[in-house]
Every structure is written in C-alpha cells, then in structure tokens.
Amino acid sequence: MRRAALAVAGLLVFLNLPLASPAAAATQQVMMQGYAFSPAALTVRVGDTVTWMQHDEAPHDVVTTSAPVAFRSPQLSAGQSWSYTFRQAGTYQYYCSVHPDMRASVTVLPAPTTAPPSTVPRTTPKTSPAPTAAAAVPVATTPPPTTSAAAAAPAAPATPAAGPPPAVPQATAATTATLDPMLLVAGLVTGIAVLCLLLLSSRRA
C-alpha cells in the first residue's frame, strides 16, 4: 500500500500536478501571566486551536466581548489550561472577567483552499475547405487554333519505292573485262617483245 502511494505521488510530481492535501491544523498558545495575555494579538486560521495557559496565582478566564461566535472559559487556576478551536473566520475580542484590564484579540483567517489544476480546453483549429478545381485553376476560354502542325509544315517530297537494282547485260560485262588497263599494258608489252625478236632474227639472217 505504501509503495502504491509513493508511486502515485511520484506520478503527480512528474506531471507537475499539486498534491491536493488539506492543510494541517495548528495549535497556538496564549500565556496568562503577569495579569496579561501574551501575545495580546494572535492570528490563526479556521480549524486552528488556541490553548490558554494559566500561570498566575489569581484565577483568570477567557470571555469574548465582540466575536462572530461567543465563547467563555471556566475560571482557571495556576497550572490549568483551556483550549478552543475556531470554526469561523473573523476577529475575536476577549478579556478576563475577573480582571477586566486583561484584554486581547484573536484574528481568524479563512482556511487555505487547494484549487485543482486548471485544465485548458484544447481547441481544434478550424480548417477552411479546400478550393475546388474550378475555383483554383481558371479554365482557358481561348479556342484552339484551327491550323494544325501537320498542315502548316510543307509536304515532304515523295521518295520512290526502292526496287531491285537493274540487271547489267552480259555483253557490257565482257566489254568491261576486255578493256581492263592491265590487260592492255600486258598485250602491248608482248607485242613489242615479239616485234623486237622479229627484228633481231631478220638482221642475223
């Protein structure tokens, strides 16, 4: 049980919440000595108790003269005491009926109240509705041009269809073969050689 109470107290401290415990009542003393009340003016709170201690040889008592709640103590002899718990705030004027010159007062303040922690309500910010597509983006009202890109561009010339290459006649191929320059040079050299041989043979004869 003690561990649970300590855990709850630690949680409240962690959350920065005040512990709502009532204030403990206090006990004050007033001495009746030397034919006077000491202290002559006392301040307490509602719920506090005041005890009058009698130290004189002559008897004394406590009688209110002006107070929210009147009270009167019995006559006290030396060594006796009397206590009174104040339940209502206000100023209590009193004196000793045996010795009217003995006067004093008690001021009673309201008891302190422990207010619970104030909770601030969380307000959700209002989000404005998203604008519609028609409102966000203006629609273009300009009509598109009537001329298309294909009509504006010049027409490309038609390319003839690729067909098979024309056939080369065999006579042309043969003529090309006979007209080869290397063959012409070889024939010319052979002819010159034959001519030279003929001239040499004619001179020897």
Side-chain angles (χ1 to χ4, degrees):
M1 192 69 181
R2 185 177 179 183
R3 291 182 179 179
L6 291 176
V8 172
L11 181 60
L12 291 176
V13 171
F14 177 76
L15 296 177
N16 199 16
L17 297 177
L19 295 174
S21 58
T27 300
Q28 305 288 342
Q29 290 185 353
V30 176
M31 300 300 173
M32 307 166 73
Q33 188 175 9
Y35 296 89
F37 295 104
S38 179
L42 183 65
T43 301
V44 297
R45 291 188 178 275
V46 172
D48 291 351
T49 300
V50 178
T51 300
W52 285 265
M53 305 291 297
Q54 221 290 56
H55 296 286
D56 286 338
E57 294 295 333
H60 296 302
D61 60 2
V62 180
V63 181
T64 55
T65 58
S66 174
V69 179
F71 58 83
R72 184 187 184 103
S73 72
Q75 288 190 359
L76 304 175
S77 300
Q80 292 182 335
S81 64
W82 180 75
S83 299
Y84 180 80
T85 301
F86 292 89
R87 303 294 182 185
Q88 187 173 345
T91 301
Y92 294 76
Q93 302 284 344
Y94 65 93
Y95 78 125
C96 174
S97 62
V98 181
H99 307 92
D101 293 337
M102 294 176 57
R103 294 182 176 273
S105 65
V106 176
T107 302
V108 182
L109 302 177
T113 57
T114 56
S118 60
T119 57
V120 179
R122 296 181 179 178
T123 58
T124 304
K126 295 182 180 179
T127 57
S128 59
T132 60
V137 180
V139 179
T141 57
T142 305
T146 55
T147 58
S148 61
T159 56
V168 180
Q170 294 182 358
T172 307
T175 306
T176 305
T178 56
L179 296 178
D180 190 0
M182 296 300 294
L183 293 178
L184 292 176
V185 171
L188 182 61
V189 172
T190 303
I192 293 173
V194 172
L195 182 60
C196 291
L197 290 176
L198 291 175
L199 292 175
L200 291 174
S201 60
S202 63
R203 287 181 179 180
R204 289 180 181 179

